[in-house]
Amino acid sequence: MDRIKVIEVHEDVRANNDRAAEALRQRLHDKKTMLINLMSSPGSGKTTLLGATLDRLTGEMNIGVMEADVDSDVDAYTVQRHGARAVQLHTGGMCHLDAAMCEQGLRELGIEGIDLVFLENVGNLICPAEFDTGATRKVMILSAPEGHDKPLKYPLMFEVSDVVIVSKMDVAEYFDFSLEEFERNVRERNPHATIMPLSAKTGEGMQQWIDWLRGEVAAWQE
Amino acid sequence: MDRIKVIEVHEDVRANNDRAAEALRQRLHDKKTMLINLMSSPGSGKTTLLGATLDRLTGEMNIGVMEADVDSDVDAYTVQRHGARAVQLHTGGMCHLDAAMCEQGLRELGIEGIDLVFLENVGNLICPAEFDTGATRKVMILSAPEGHDKPLKYPLMFEVSDVVIVSKMDVAEYFDFSLEEFERNVRERNPHATIMPLSAKTGEGMQQWIDWLRGEVAAWQE
């Protein structure tokens, strides 16, 4: 078998918004509001997971949601029905959010008295990984149908995430998704991320996620 | 129910590479090489579809494949096993390919005597839609598990595509994927795209795709 040629093609687009993100994070800490940057591919089940999460935590804490999309506002209506305060961010074609965009969203949402805000980032495994939004924690979702090889192909997203959720575990077998191989692939890039396999449809694995959220909010508000 | 606030957040990153793309397309036409820009989310089954396509067309025409990824070269080895000449493009973190990157890849691949080249773009439903790579046709894949609402959320990708393939149709029912609603959503954005539901796993719908490729290559080489 011939060796495959590998060609490195380059371009520099990274913008530095680290300072703005750090200032926002500090301000959120002062307000005792925790912000989670939720990232994934399109169609990985972010909104479904959020709905199931809200069903379990509404009443116990005040939750806000910022739904970012290139277009449409279907997701914001969905999470609002689950009891969260919600705003929709339109990025006008942009593939990610930065700290300034996140801040605009928080201003519109209002964070007074809000314990936890989810930023549902644009569906994209590449660009959002490069930008600090000011969030307290980065959580990414990979759905089982996407395949266990994805940490090899989108390494930065797996490197920067504190939690890696594997969604749609109820169909893992049909798609030959190996959790063991996936974990090995994640570990090559990120030895510290917490990996949480779950299914919002069957409820399997949801408890670990909910308990993790409770613990993180409590620690942030101390 | 409260009305959802919609906030428009902006930033300008579009680079103009239209002239380079047009020149490349003309050169490919002179060489009678057709180039297809294949775009989708991560894990939509691009590589599996390519393998099934190569199995049906190798021998009949000479096919080359450029696999673009942020990292890894697993896909290039896979398609090479199916009989295609293959190169791997590493984008070094970049979320899309432009015409100059595509041209670098074609130079390494070599197009002399090649009838058809597939450019497997980076897995991303947003950024690749904005850049003309010089390809003859743009084909996008949406997998049924991603959901029939995606044309509303990633409109540009659906607008620019000549063909919209729906992959993994064998699991459409399990994921409550409605082909009818999907087609309606696509049509709002793009009245002309050819929509091809198929499953590379079961072979369902593959014939329409193969026949379309044959017709396009013949027309391009006339």
Side-chain angles (χ1 to χ4, degrees), chain A residues 70 91 93-97 121-124 126-128 131, chain B residues 13 95 124 126-127 130:
Chain A
V70 173
T91 64
M94 272 296 288
C95 50
H96 67 272
L97 292 177
N121 216 312
V122 180
N124 181 339
I126 307 171
C127 319
F131 293 85
Chain B
V13 290
C95 50
N124 181 340
I126 307 171
C127 320
E130 297 179 23

Side-chain angles (χ1 to χ4, degrees), chain A residues 67-197:
Chain A
E67 290 285 343
D69 266 310
V70 173
D71 204 347
S72 106
D73 50 17
V74 289
D75 289 346
Y77 280 103
T78 304
V79 299
Q80 195 173 252
R81 277 197 299 273
H82 287 273
R85 194 191 294 179
V87 294
Q88 178 77 45
L89 312 183
H90 278 179
T91 64
M94 272 296 288
C95 50
H96 67 272
L97 292 177
D98 59 19
M101 290 166 168
C102 180
E103 198 158 5
Q104 289 173 53
L106 287 169
R107 206 153 45 220
E108 296 291 332
L109 181 73
I111 58 168
E112 205 59 51
I114 297 282
D115 303 292
L116 174 61
V117 176
F118 290 101
L119 169 62
E120 192 181 318
N121 216 312
V122 180
N124 181 339
L125 277 194
I126 307 171
C127 319
E130 298 179 23
F131 293 85
D132 188 345
T133 57
T136 321
R137 289 279 181 254
K138 292 175 181 171
V139 175
M140 70 156 292
I141 307 176
L142 186 98
S143 64
E146 292 174 66
H148 52 244
D149 61 338
K150 292 301 166 291
L152 307 176
K153 302 171 84 174
Y154 304 93
L156 187 63
M157 180 59 81
F158 288 86
E159 274 170 38
V160 303
S161 294
D162 301 296
V163 172
V164 175
I165 289 177
V166 187
S167 65
K168 306 188 189 177
M169 276 301 289
D170 50 306
V171 296
E173 205 173 329
Y174 186 87
F175 287 98
D176 301 323
F177 180 91
S178 160
L179 189 58
E180 202 178 319
E181 277 192 57
F182 178 72
E183 288 181 337
R184 202 159 44 230
N185 290 334
V186 172
R187 287 291 165 244
E188 272 185 33
R189 293 297 181 166
N190 187 336
H192 306 298
T194 307
I195 300 174
M196 299 188 192

Side-chain angles (χ1 to χ4, degrees), chain A residues 1-2 5 7 9 71 75 80 88 90-91 93 104 108 122-123 126 145 153-154 168 170-171 174 189, chain B residues 1-2 5 7 9 71 75 80 88 90-91 104 108 122-123 126 145 153-154 168 170-171 174 189:
Chain A
M1 191 163 65
D2 293 338
K5 279 188 201 171
I7 303 111
V9 285
D71 204 347
D75 289 346
Q80 195 173 252
Q88 178 77 45
H90 278 179
T91 64
Q104 289 173 53
E108 296 291 332
V122 180
I126 307 171
K153 302 171 84 174
Y154 304 93
K168 306 188 189 177
D170 50 306
V171 296
Y174 186 87
R189 293 297 181 166
Chain B
M1 193 162 62
D2 292 338
K5 279 189 199 172
I7 303 110
V9 286
D71 205 347
D75 289 346
Q80 195 174 252
Q88 179 77 46
H90 278 177
T91 65
Q104 289 173 53
E108 296 292 332
V122 180
I126 307 171
K153 302 171 84 174
Y154 304 92
K168 306 188 188 176
D170 51 307
V171 295
Y174 186 85
R189 292 297 180 165

Side-chain angles (χ1 to χ4, degrees), chain A residues 198-213:
Chain A
L198 57 77
S199 163
K201 200 166 182 170
T202 67
E204 169 200 353
M206 283 295 294
Q207 198 56 49
Q208 185 188 5
W209 164 238
I210 297 296
D211 287 343
W212 180 85
L213 286 169

